[in-house]
Amino acid sequence: MTHIAHQLTNRRYQERAITYCESHDQALVGDKTLAFWLMDKQMYTHMSDLTPLTPVVDRGIALHKLIRLVTCGLGGEGYLTFEGNEFGHPEWLDFPREGNGSSFHYARRQFNLVHDEMLRYKYLYRFDRAMVRLERRFHWLSAHDQWVTLKHNDDKVLAFERGGLAWIFNFHPCNSYADYRIGVAWAGKYTVVLCSDDPEFLGHGRVDPAVEHFSTPMEWNGRPNYIQVYLPARTAIVLQHD
């Protein structure tokens, strides 16, 4: 968690930066997409809703959402989505050259995948759309308030404040935490505005968005208040305060 936070914030104060999870540079040299690194060959066999949700695909989709959200939320003043990253495009890009026999086979982006309602790419796209809409609502990319509240390497929990929102990530593969304390700057009521575990995004629905969290006036993580939240494994939640 310390390394993730450092990489996303390691720049001079108020120096603007563009962040991304994958870019054209890595794609054009034949590197696999982020989704393909996470799910590999099972993207050929288990990305249909008609097939069982395997542990590999479940893990890959969960981490794909978390990686995009933490990059967009903490990384910089602009967020770059390389074509297809918004819905987890498989494979790689490879333009015709001598080494591949002048083949056009991988010189493509399969945008049809996201429009096929039988495939699971639609869930990743829905999450990307929800994330972008949330930024348009709260404008955190142009906000100047940013504070990393917690970097817990053992619990694999990362929390920060930005754009008037509290962002909490649990990257742990199996540990879920009940009543997990997170220090916050603002006193009052907190409600969930985005959760990666929402069934709309192929999550498991372990977080009830109707639950309200009320702060306690006690210093925690260097902040004057704290809230207690339920953090399922491989889940991120974003909360606003009233």
Side-chain angles (χ1 to χ4, degrees), residues 219-230:
E219 184 176 345
W220 197 263
N221 303 136
R223 310 307 273 163
N225 309 280
Y226 72 81
I227 57 174
Q228 292 179 275
V229 297
Y230 176 52

Side-chain angles (χ1 to χ4, degrees), residues 150-176:
L150 178 65
K151 299 170 287 187
H152 201 300
N153 292 324
D154 292 331
D155 290 349
K156 300 195 183 307
V157 172
L158 173 65
F160 59 90
E161 300 164 358
R162 191 179 185 192
L165 299 170
W167 308 65
I168 310 172
F169 295 77
N170 179 10
F171 284 91
H172 204 285
C174 52
N175 287 356
S176 298

Side-chain angles (χ1 to χ4, degrees), residues 112-155:
N112 60 297
L113 296 175
V114 74
H115 299 298
D116 191 331
E117 288 297 318
M118 300 299 294
L119 299 179
R120 291 178 169 135
Y121 298 97
K122 62 180 180 288
Y123 302 114
L124 292 172
Y125 178 71
R126 288 174 187 170
F127 182 78
D128 198 272
R129 182 175 58 191
M131 181 178 71
V132 172
R133 286 177 175 174
L134 191 67
E135 203 290 323
R136 289 176 178 173
R137 178 181 169 190
F138 290 97
H139 307 288
W140 67 75
L141 289 175
S142 58
H144 296 292
D145 64 307
Q146 179 175 298
W147 182 272
V148 178
T149 308
L150 178 65
K151 299 170 287 187
H152 201 300
N153 292 324
D154 292 331
D155 290 349

Side-chain angles (χ1 to χ4, degrees), residues 36-175:
F36 211 53
W37 275 113
L38 292 170
M39 293 175 275
D40 205 60
K41 62 183 180 182
Q42 288 204 15
M43 296 194 78
Y44 295 125
T45 57
H46 289 84
M47 286 301 283
S48 169
D49 277 332
L50 300 178
T51 61
L53 182 62
T54 66
V56 171
V57 173
D58 186 37
R59 168 188 177 273
I61 288 178
L63 288 177
H64 200 278
K65 291 180 288 187
L66 265 62
I67 291 169
R68 283 181 291 158
L69 186 61
V70 72
T71 303
C72 183
L74 186 60
E77 289 65 44
Y79 176 70
L80 171 69
T81 295
F82 182 64
E83 52 189 53
N85 175 253
E86 67 273 16
F87 61 85
H89 198 290
E91 302 178 330
W92 53 87
L93 274 178
D94 193 10
F95 287 95
R97 54 188 174 83
E98 183 179 354
N100 65 10
S102 300
S103 172
F104 282 86
H105 183 69
Y106 291 108
R108 61 179 181 174
R109 292 276 96 169
Q110 301 179 71
F111 291 103
N112 60 297
L113 296 175
V114 74
H115 299 298
D116 191 331
E117 288 297 318
M118 300 299 294
L119 299 179
R120 291 178 169 135
Y121 298 97
K122 62 180 180 288
Y123 302 114
L124 292 172
Y125 178 71
R126 288 174 187 170
F127 182 78
D128 198 272
R129 182 175 58 191
M131 181 178 71
V132 172
R133 286 177 175 174
L134 191 67
E135 203 290 323
R136 289 176 178 173
R137 178 181 169 190
F138 290 97
H139 307 288
W140 67 75
L141 289 175
S142 58
H144 296 292
D145 64 307
Q146 179 175 298
W147 182 272
V148 178
T149 308
L150 178 65
K151 299 170 287 187
H152 201 300
N153 292 324
D154 292 331
D155 290 349
K156 300 195 183 307
V157 172
L158 173 65
F160 59 90
E161 300 164 358
R162 191 179 185 192
L165 299 170
W167 308 65
I168 310 172
F169 295 77
N170 179 10
F171 284 91
H172 204 285
C174 52
N175 287 356

Side-chain angles (χ1 to χ4, degrees), residues 195-209 230 232 235:
C195 176
S196 68
D197 200 48
D198 193 306
E200 182 184 0
F201 315 132
L202 200 61
H204 298 283
R206 295 167 293 180
V207 175
D208 186 351
Y230 176 52
T235 295

